[in-house]
Amino acid sequence: MKYALVTGGSRGIGRAICLELSKSGYAILINYVSNQEAAESTKKLIEEQGGVAELMPFDVADSKAVDKIITAWLDEHSDDFIAVLVNNAGIRKDALMVFMQDEEWNNIMRTNLDSFFYITRRLLKDMLSKRFGRIINIVSLSGLKGLPGQTNYSASKAGLIGGTKSLAQEVAPRKVTVNAVAPGFIDTDMIEDMDQATIKKMIPIGRLGKTEEVAALVGFLASEKAEYITGEVISINGGLYT
Ligand code: NDP
């Protein structure tokens, strides 16, 4: 069976990606860190549309937990293959740099950037030997353009963009593609504390993005049709930054 692992699949953009990849025929591994109820809801939604899903909780920032959980799963599923990895789990903790604490810097870097290394290296070997793989990293407009108050978040996402480009060149000969999707403002829990009326006025299309719109792009990048696209950063932001 072919699987797709979506980190942060319990809510928001990750949930929509789980539903989209399930429609493409992948069995889904729904990763999350604490919100089991939301993860169960994603699983139920997948099953309602005829798909297959399993919960796979772990903290993406914890190298040991990542290794332990993924190794155990692979040992029990020797005939299965995780063909798609979506590194979507992410957090923000905005602060002006003059006031930013070590913890606010480190937590963001560990969750948004270190996680890419821990999880991707664990799944790459199988992709390289099977000569197929799709790795999609969810970055951000903030990692391209920068936003005041987000030096930690912008740096983590810009780092992930660099990692995407290097890894894409490393693994292209084995038909594994690595791309990044850079959303602008998408209507999820992550931005509920922001001033949405002001944000909407800044967006040429005049509204927030929908999770399903990001998921549709990820679904295309995960498909066989996208085999010649690699090392790219594709923005989806309603014209906010071009
Ligand atoms: P949400 O806050 O809605 O959801 C975050 C998801 O990440 C949840 O599933 C959460 O799990 C999971 N998560 C957080 N920390 C960890 C961790 N340490 N280990 C495992 N899972 C974790 O976020 P969005 O859907 O809005 O964002 C998804 C991605 O898109 C992020 O990388 C974000 O940076 C990026 N993005 C979002 C934008 C937006 O406007 N919304 C814009 C640009 C980029 P749990 O439910 O257990 O807490």
Side-chain angles (χ1 to χ4, degrees), residues 132-161:
F132 181 86
R134 295 282 185 266
I135 298 165
I136 298 145
N137 299 320
I138 307 301
V139 295
S140 172
L141 165 76
S142 186
L144 290 168
K145 178 188 173 289
L147 284 178
Q150 293 198 335
T151 50
N152 51 358
Y153 183 80
S154 298
S156 71
K157 295 296 188 178
L160 188 46
I161 288 170

mmCIF file of all heavy atoms in Angstrom, residues 132-161:
data_model
loop_
_atom_site.group_PDB
_atom_site.id
_atom_site.type_symbol
_atom_site.label_atom_id
_atom_site.label_comp_id
_atom_site.label_asym_id
_atom_site.label_seq_id
_atom_site.Cartn_x
_atom_site.Cartn_y
_atom_site.Cartn_z
ATOM 1 N N PHE A 132 11.087 6.558 -6.472
ATOM 2 C CA PHE A 132 9.914 7.447 -6.522
ATOM 3 C C PHE A 132 9.764 8.105 -5.159
ATOM 4 O O PHE A 132 9.963 7.456 -4.126
ATOM 5 C CB PHE A 132 8.611 6.689 -6.836
ATOM 6 C CG PHE A 132 7.413 7.627 -6.915
ATOM 7 C CD1 PHE A 132 7.101 8.276 -8.101
ATOM 8 C CD2 PHE A 132 6.653 7.906 -5.779
ATOM 9 C CE1 PHE A 132 6.041 9.179 -8.159
ATOM 10 C CE2 PHE A 132 5.583 8.808 -5.833
ATOM 11 C CZ PHE A 132 5.277 9.433 -7.029
ATOM 12 N N GLY A 133 9.401 9.341 -5.174
ATOM 13 C CA GLY A 133 9.109 10.013 -3.910
ATOM 14 C C GLY A 133 8.691 11.439 -4.168
ATOM 15 O O GLY A 133 9.101 12.061 -5.159
ATOM 16 N N ARG A 134 7.827 11.925 -3.295
ATOM 17 C CA ARG A 134 7.378 13.322 -3.383
ATOM 18 C C ARG A 134 7.511 13.925 -1.993
ATOM 19 O O ARG A 134 6.866 13.448 -1.050
ATOM 20 C CB ARG A 134 5.905 13.389 -3.814
ATOM 21 C CG ARG A 134 5.624 12.883 -5.224
ATOM 22 C CD ARG A 134 6.015 13.937 -6.244
ATOM 23 N NE ARG A 134 5.642 13.525 -7.580
ATOM 24 C CZ ARG A 134 6.455 12.896 -8.423
ATOM 25 N NH1 ARG A 134 7.673 12.553 -8.057
ATOM 26 N NH2 ARG A 134 6.057 12.584 -9.638
ATOM 27 N N ILE A 135 8.360 14.951 -1.884
ATOM 28 C CA ILE A 135 8.525 15.645 -0.612
ATOM 29 C C ILE A 135 8.061 17.082 -0.824
ATOM 30 O O ILE A 135 8.546 17.765 -1.740
ATOM 31 C CB ILE A 135 9.997 15.589 -0.153
ATOM 32 C CG1 ILE A 135 10.403 14.123 0.072
ATOM 33 C CG2 ILE A 135 10.200 16.424 1.124
ATOM 34 C CD1 ILE A 135 11.893 13.900 0.164
ATOM 35 N N ILE A 136 7.097 17.496 -0.022
ATOM 36 C CA ILE A 136 6.550 18.850 -0.186
ATOM 37 C C ILE A 136 6.633 19.558 1.167
ATOM 38 O O ILE A 136 6.113 19.058 2.172
ATOM 39 C CB ILE A 136 5.093 18.773 -0.703
ATOM 40 C CG1 ILE A 136 5.084 18.100 -2.088
ATOM 41 C CG2 ILE A 136 4.485 20.185 -0.795
ATOM 42 C CD1 ILE A 136 3.917 17.244 -2.366
ATOM 43 N N ASN A 137 7.332 20.671 1.173
ATOM 44 C CA ASN A 137 7.535 21.436 2.403
ATOM 45 C C ASN A 137 6.649 22.671 2.395
ATOM 46 O O ASN A 137 6.665 23.445 1.424
ATOM 47 C CB ASN A 137 9.011 21.849 2.509
ATOM 48 C CG ASN A 137 9.923 20.640 2.556
ATOM 49 O OD1 ASN A 137 9.599 19.637 3.213
ATOM 50 N ND2 ASN A 137 11.041 20.701 1.857
ATOM 51 N N ILE A 138 5.882 22.848 3.468
ATOM 52 C CA ILE A 138 5.024 24.033 3.531
ATOM 53 C C ILE A 138 5.836 25.148 4.191
ATOM 54 O O ILE A 138 6.180 25.074 5.371
ATOM 55 C CB ILE A 138 3.716 23.757 4.325
ATOM 56 C CG1 ILE A 138 2.990 22.515 3.762
ATOM 57 C CG2 ILE A 138 2.809 24.995 4.259
ATOM 58 C CD1 ILE A 138 2.595 22.572 2.293
ATOM 59 N N VAL A 139 6.171 26.149 3.397
ATOM 60 C CA VAL A 139 6.952 27.275 3.895
ATOM 61 C C VAL A 139 6.014 28.467 4.096
ATOM 62 O O VAL A 139 4.904 28.289 4.602
ATOM 63 C CB VAL A 139 8.176 27.537 2.991
ATOM 64 C CG1 VAL A 139 9.119 26.356 3.069
ATOM 65 C CG2 VAL A 139 7.811 27.846 1.548
ATOM 66 N N SER A 140 6.378 29.638 3.666
ATOM 67 C CA SER A 140 5.513 30.795 3.910
ATOM 68 C C SER A 140 5.984 32.001 3.107
ATOM 69 O O SER A 140 7.184 32.144 2.838
ATOM 70 C CB SER A 140 5.549 31.154 5.397
ATOM 71 O OG SER A 140 4.881 32.366 5.627
ATOM 72 N N LEU A 141 5.042 32.853 2.830
ATOM 73 C CA LEU A 141 5.355 34.177 2.280
ATOM 74 C C LEU A 141 6.420 34.853 3.147
ATOM 75 O O LEU A 141 7.338 35.519 2.645
ATOM 76 C CB LEU A 141 4.056 35.011 2.316
ATOM 77 C CG LEU A 141 4.167 36.517 2.131
ATOM 78 C CD1 LEU A 141 4.408 36.841 0.672
ATOM 79 C CD2 LEU A 141 2.924 37.216 2.632
ATOM 80 N N SER A 142 6.305 34.642 4.448
ATOM 81 C CA SER A 142 7.230 35.253 5.409
ATOM 82 C C SER A 142 8.674 34.800 5.198
ATOM 83 O O SER A 142 9.607 35.545 5.485
ATOM 84 C CB SER A 142 6.763 34.893 6.822
ATOM 85 O OG SER A 142 7.516 35.546 7.779
ATOM 86 N N GLY A 143 8.854 33.595 4.670
ATOM 87 C CA GLY A 143 10.200 33.083 4.408
ATOM 88 C C GLY A 143 10.787 33.625 3.116
ATOM 89 O O GLY A 143 11.992 33.503 2.865
ATOM 90 N N LEU A 144 9.934 34.214 2.271
ATOM 91 C CA LEU A 144 10.399 34.805 1.012
ATOM 92 C C LEU A 144 10.620 36.299 1.168
ATOM 93 O O LEU A 144 11.623 36.848 0.736
ATOM 94 C CB LEU A 144 9.345 34.581 -0.091
ATOM 95 C CG LEU A 144 9.175 33.146 -0.593
ATOM 96 C CD1 LEU A 144 7.916 33.036 -1.448
ATOM 97 C CD2 LEU A 144 10.390 32.737 -1.411
ATOM 98 N N LYS A 145 9.637 36.948 1.772
ATOM 99 C CA LYS A 145 9.620 38.406 1.823
ATOM 100 C C LYS A 145 10.091 38.950 3.174
ATOM 101 O O LYS A 145 10.599 40.056 3.258
ATOM 102 C CB LYS A 145 8.175 38.861 1.558
ATOM 103 C CG LYS A 145 7.929 40.326 1.613
ATOM 104 C CD LYS A 145 6.429 40.625 1.526
ATOM 105 C CE LYS A 145 6.169 42.094 1.754
ATOM 106 N NZ LYS A 145 6.392 42.505 3.145
ATOM 107 N N GLY A 146 9.906 38.132 4.239
ATOM 108 C CA GLY A 146 10.159 38.608 5.593
ATOM 109 C C GLY A 146 8.979 39.426 6.082
ATOM 110 O O GLY A 146 8.267 40.054 5.268
ATOM 111 N N LEU A 147 8.701 39.364 7.352
ATOM 112 C CA LEU A 147 7.636 40.195 7.932
ATOM 113 C C LEU A 147 8.126 40.693 9.294
ATOM 114 O O LEU A 147 8.714 39.908 10.055
ATOM 115 C CB LEU A 147 6.347 39.374 8.138
ATOM 116 C CG LEU A 147 5.495 39.052 6.915
ATOM 117 C CD1 LEU A 147 4.292 38.200 7.313
ATOM 118 C CD2 LEU A 147 5.002 40.326 6.218
ATOM 119 N N PRO A 148 7.917 41.971 9.614
ATOM 120 C CA PRO A 148 8.380 42.460 10.915
ATOM 121 C C PRO A 148 7.699 41.692 12.048
ATOM 122 O O PRO A 148 6.516 41.362 11.957
ATOM 123 C CB PRO A 148 7.955 43.941 10.911
ATOM 124 C CG PRO A 148 7.007 44.101 9.768
ATOM 125 C CD PRO A 148 7.235 42.986 8.812
ATOM 126 N N GLY A 149 8.466 41.383 13.078
ATOM 127 C CA GLY A 149 7.914 40.616 14.208
ATOM 128 C C GLY A 149 8.055 39.123 14.019
ATOM 129 O O GLY A 149 7.671 38.334 14.883
ATOM 130 N N GLN A 150 8.600 38.718 12.863
ATOM 131 C CA GLN A 150 8.699 37.282 12.581
ATOM 132 C C GLN A 150 10.126 36.873 12.199
ATOM 133 O O GLN A 150 10.305 36.012 11.336
ATOM 134 C CB GLN A 150 7.746 36.890 11.441
ATOM 135 C CG GLN A 150 6.273 37.014 11.797
ATOM 136 C CD GLN A 150 5.366 36.241 10.858
ATOM 137 O OE1 GLN A 150 5.715 35.978 9.719
ATOM 138 N NE2 GLN A 150 4.187 35.881 11.344
ATOM 139 N N THR A 151 11.136 37.456 12.821
ATOM 140 C CA THR A 151 12.499 37.063 12.408
ATOM 141 C C THR A 151 12.728 35.572 12.642
ATOM 142 O O THR A 151 13.402 34.918 11.843
ATOM 143 C CB THR A 151 13.582 37.877 13.153
ATOM 144 O OG1 THR A 151 13.304 37.835 14.541
ATOM 145 C CG2 THR A 151 13.647 39.303 12.661
ATOM 146 N N ASN A 152 12.171 35.050 13.730
ATOM 147 C CA ASN A 152 12.329 33.617 14.000
ATOM 148 C C ASN A 152 11.601 32.778 12.934
ATOM 149 O O ASN A 152 12.189 31.886 12.308
ATOM 150 C CB ASN A 152 11.841 33.277 15.421
ATOM 151 C CG ASN A 152 10.439 33.801 15.726
ATOM 152 O OD1 ASN A 152 9.804 34.465 14.911
ATOM 153 N ND2 ASN A 152 9.953 33.503 16.921
ATOM 154 N N TYR A 153 10.344 33.101 12.717
ATOM 155 C CA TYR A 153 9.519 32.339 11.761
ATOM 156 C C TYR A 153 10.056 32.492 10.329
ATOM 157 O O TYR A 153 10.195 31.508 9.599
ATOM 158 C CB TYR A 153 8.082 32.855 11.875
ATOM 159 C CG TYR A 153 7.053 32.145 11.029
ATOM 160 C CD1 TYR A 153 6.512 30.924 11.434
ATOM 161 C CD2 TYR A 153 6.586 32.712 9.846
ATOM 162 C CE1 TYR A 153 5.541 30.293 10.668
ATOM 163 C CE2 TYR A 153 5.625 32.091 9.078
ATOM 164 C CZ TYR A 153 5.095 30.880 9.499
ATOM 165 O OH TYR A 153 4.133 30.258 8.723
ATOM 166 N N SER A 154 10.380 33.732 9.933
ATOM 167 C CA SER A 154 10.904 33.968 8.576
ATOM 168 C C SER A 154 12.198 33.199 8.357
ATOM 169 O O SER A 154 12.401 32.582 7.305
ATOM 170 C CB SER A 154 11.197 35.454 8.350
ATOM 171 O OG SER A 154 10.035 36.208 8.460
ATOM 172 N N ALA A 155 13.085 33.229 9.382
ATOM 173 C CA ALA A 155 14.374 32.526 9.250
ATOM 174 C C ALA A 155 14.145 31.022 9.129
ATOM 175 O O ALA A 155 14.815 30.344 8.332
ATOM 176 C CB ALA A 155 15.266 32.845 10.444
ATOM 177 N N SER A 156 13.195 30.490 9.891
ATOM 178 C CA SER A 156 12.952 29.040 9.830
ATOM 179 C C SER A 156 12.433 28.645 8.442
ATOM 180 O O SER A 156 12.852 27.639 7.868
ATOM 181 C CB SER A 156 11.964 28.601 10.913
ATOM 182 O OG SER A 156 10.646 29.051 10.642
ATOM 183 N N LYS A 157 11.542 29.461 7.889
ATOM 184 C CA LYS A 157 10.951 29.116 6.589
ATOM 185 C C LYS A 157 11.955 29.358 5.451
ATOM 186 O O LYS A 157 12.001 28.603 4.488
ATOM 187 C CB LYS A 157 9.671 29.925 6.361
ATOM 188 C CG LYS A 157 8.543 29.597 7.341
ATOM 189 C CD LYS A 157 8.052 28.168 7.218
ATOM 190 C CE LYS A 157 6.797 27.908 8.050
ATOM 191 N NZ LYS A 157 6.281 26.543 7.906
ATOM 192 N N ALA A 158 12.776 30.416 5.586
ATOM 193 C CA ALA A 158 13.815 30.652 4.568
ATOM 194 C C ALA A 158 14.828 29.510 4.598
ATOM 195 O O ALA A 158 15.315 29.062 3.548
ATOM 196 C CB ALA A 158 14.504 31.993 4.818
ATOM 197 N N GLY A 159 15.129 29.016 5.797
ATOM 198 C CA GLY A 159 16.031 27.863 5.917
ATOM 199 C C GLY A 159 15.453 26.642 5.238
ATOM 200 O O GLY A 159 16.154 25.885 4.541
ATOM 201 N N LEU A 160 14.172 26.463 5.408
ATOM 202 C CA LEU A 160 13.498 25.305 4.798
ATOM 203 C C LEU A 160 13.496 25.421 3.264
ATOM 204 O O LEU A 160 13.608 24.416 2.555
ATOM 205 C CB LEU A 160 12.069 25.230 5.364
ATOM 206 C CG LEU A 160 11.198 24.027 5.041
ATOM 207 C CD1 LEU A 160 11.934 22.706 5.215
ATOM 208 C CD2 LEU A 160 9.940 24.039 5.918
ATOM 209 N N ILE A 161 13.417 26.647 2.781
ATOM 210 C CA ILE A 161 13.494 26.851 1.325
ATOM 211 C C ILE A 161 14.887 26.438 0.826
ATOM 212 O O ILE A 161 15.016 25.741 -0.192
ATOM 213 C CB ILE A 161 13.160 28.323 0.966
ATOM 214 C CG1 ILE A 161 11.663 28.577 1.174
ATOM 215 C CG2 ILE A 161 13.584 28.653 -0.471
ATOM 216 C CD1 ILE A 161 11.236 30.033 1.086
#
